[in-house]
Every structure is written in structure tokens, then in C-alpha cells.
Amino acid sequence: MKYYSLKFKRDLDGWGGKAHMWKIQILEKYRNDTGLLEHEKFHVRQWYYAMLAALAIAGVLGWFVHPGWGLIAILGPFVHSRLASNKYYRKWGEIRAYRIQLKAGNYHSPQFAVSALTTKYGLGMSEKEARKALGLS
């Protein structure tokens, strides 16, 4: 069973791919880049896990504390995007996604991943830290 939808686009504002909830968009020129697809699929799985955790917490609170607490389940689909605004959650997610991408793709060099981690996400990582996080040094 496919747990995501995939569309190819001509422009993604400087990104090769994007994931939002269960929807993945990839630049047309990267149509055959399996590593990039796996990277974005990881972000989709992050979204599902965060949503399921929120729903579980809402269920427990609604059952054991007060039924009104179950209403926080409404927030389930938005938990991942809120977490992604946290630098440490975003850092963990992007490092994991790039590790998956490098393993799945057939790339000549991992430098694109190092560069992305140091410049694109506001993580404050040096090149040395990024290479170490990716298991390259």
C-alpha cells in the first residue's frame, strides 16, 4: 500500500523535493532520483508518526482524564509541522533523511548533502559537523 502521493513539478523555489503531510513534490529533472524520493518518503513517515503519537496521547487523555481532552486529536495532522519549527527536531530529521538518501541514491559525491545541511535549514552546522553527522568522516 502506497502511503504518499507524488507529483513532479517544474519549480519548487530552490528545492529538489518537498514533502507536506502525505504529499511529495519533486522537480521533474529528478524524476529518476531514487535517493531524493526516499528522503521525502522519510519526511512523510515523520508526519505519520507525529500524527499517530498525537492521536494516541489524545485518546489516553480523553479516556483516562476527561473526554474533552480527546479534542486535541484535531491537532494531530499539524504536530509534525510544529515540531519542524524546532531546530533540534529539524536537524535530527534532515540528517536522517540525507543518510537515507545517500544510501539509496547512486551519487558520485555526498557533498550536496553536506552543503544542504550547512546552508539550507538554519541548523548552524559547520561542514565538519555535517560530514560527521552523515557518517562521512
Side-chain angles (χ1 to χ4, degrees):
M1 180 175 121
K2 196 164 132 182
Y3 58 92
Y4 61 93
S5 69
L6 175 62
K7 289 190 178 177
F8 295 98
K9 299 283 198 169
R10 290 180 187 263
D11 181 43
L12 287 176
D13 301 322
W15 297 95
K18 286 185 178 183
H20 179 69
M21 297 178 154
W22 70 91
K23 299 177 275 187
I24 296 173
Q25 297 177 336
I26 292 180
L27 283 177
E28 182 65 45
K29 71 180 184 176
Y30 298 126
R31 178 178 285 271
N32 297 314
D33 188 334
T34 56
L36 179 57
L37 177 59
E38 292 303 316
H39 176 121
E40 298 306 335
K41 284 168 51 177
F42 173 75
H43 290 313
V44 170
R45 289 191 303 274
Q46 278 184 287
W47 175 75
Y48 276 113
Y49 295 145
M51 182 178 61
L52 290 173
L55 294 174
I57 291 168
V60 168
L61 291 173
W63 186 265
F64 292 108
V65 178
H66 185 276
W69 278 100
L71 291 174
I72 66 169
I74 295 168
L75 302 175
F78 309 104
V79 170
H80 173 67
S81 61
R82 292 299 302 149
L83 286 172
S85 67
N86 177 283
K87 175 182 169 180
Y88 301 102
Y89 179 82
R90 191 171 59 252
K91 184 177 184 178
W92 169 81
E94 291 304 334
I95 289 169
R96 183 73 183 121
Y98 277 109
R99 283 182 176 178
I100 290 168
Q101 182 173 357
L102 289 171
K103 187 176 179 181
N106 188 19
Y107 303 110
H108 298 291
S109 167
Q111 189 57 40
F112 74 93
V114 173
S115 296
L117 287 174
T118 59
T119 63
K120 283 194 157 198
Y121 303 99
L123 303 175
M125 294 180 77
S126 68
E127 183 164 332
K128 183 178 179 180
E129 290 171 318
R131 294 185 73 74
K132 184 177 179 185
L134 292 170
L136 301 174
S137 56

